[in-house]
Amino acid sequence: MPALELRGLTKRYDDGTVALRDFDLVIPDGAFFGLLGPNGAGKTTLISAVCNLIRITAGEVRVFGEPGDSLLARSWVGLAEQDINLDRFLTVRETLVYHGGYFGMTKREAEERAAEMIRVFDLEAKADVRAPRLSGGQKRRLQLARALMHRPRLVILDEPTAGVDFELRLELWRYIRKLHENGTTILLTTHYLEEAEELCDEIALIRGGRLLARDTADGLRERYDADSLAEVYVKAMGMETTAA
Ligand SMILES: Nc1ncnc2c1ncn2[C@@H]1O[C@H](COP(=O)(O)OP(=O)(O)OP(=O)(O)O)[C@@H](O)[C@H]1O
């Protein structure tokens, strides 16, 4: 059973913008899958469709075989959004416990899991501090911990390392890798090609709401007759490489 199946997915926003066109994608259970594409390619729209945050215009979304708009599918997905969106009135611990409650955990379960997440993400010293008092890196870690609270089978990370320093990027990679090793399927969007290359076992290139190619990094290099993923990207996206 694939972790994610998109069939003929189309999204037209109210103003007429078509962000996804007849998009097909199957992501196997246990994959570490990367989505690469320029600004406006449709990555966030795709994620929003998978998480049932937007109404799709046509097509089908299935999460581990269940319709994407079912409660079960929703409970299997953990989303760490691109922008930090933490509740400013909640402490680290409360943020996690509330999220667990939202996904149907008992208070006790949620408290235990929150304590575990606080430990794993090195937030012990800040457990009773409210979100606005956290550093940028601590906010990122909390956002990731929150996405993992309810033990989702599919974790979606929308540019998790955008604007973070080198050290935190390595730290986040370590967490994400460990999660993947434990059997969680990961869907990652990033603008950092080296990040996709380092982490993902398969990569999809998307532009203008369409899937251009999908392969391993090696497979993509071969297909585009390129030495690096950067060269693949430039060729696939039809960018000019030489100054005229
Ligand atoms: N609510 C909306 N209403 C109208 N158009 C939208 C809306 N949200 C996104 N779009 C448009 O849909 C297209 C795809 O946007 P999307 O945010 O999915 O791209 P993205 O690949 O995530 O880009 P980025 O890398 O910049 O995050 C863009 O043309 C965008 O302007």
Side-chain angles (χ1 to χ4, degrees), residues 13-15 17-19 37-46 82 158-159 191 206:
Y13 284 104
D14 290 343
D15 66 356
T17 306
V18 180
N39 292 132
K43 303 178 298 293
T44 301
T45 301
L46 188 155
Q82 190 174 329
D158 198 359
E159 296 187 37
H191 286 292
I206 78 170

Side-chain angles (χ1 to χ4, degrees), residues 22-35:
D22 201 17
F23 201 99
D24 291 324
L25 184 68
V26 177
I27 299 181
D29 191 0
F32 200 134
F33 199 91
L35 273 187

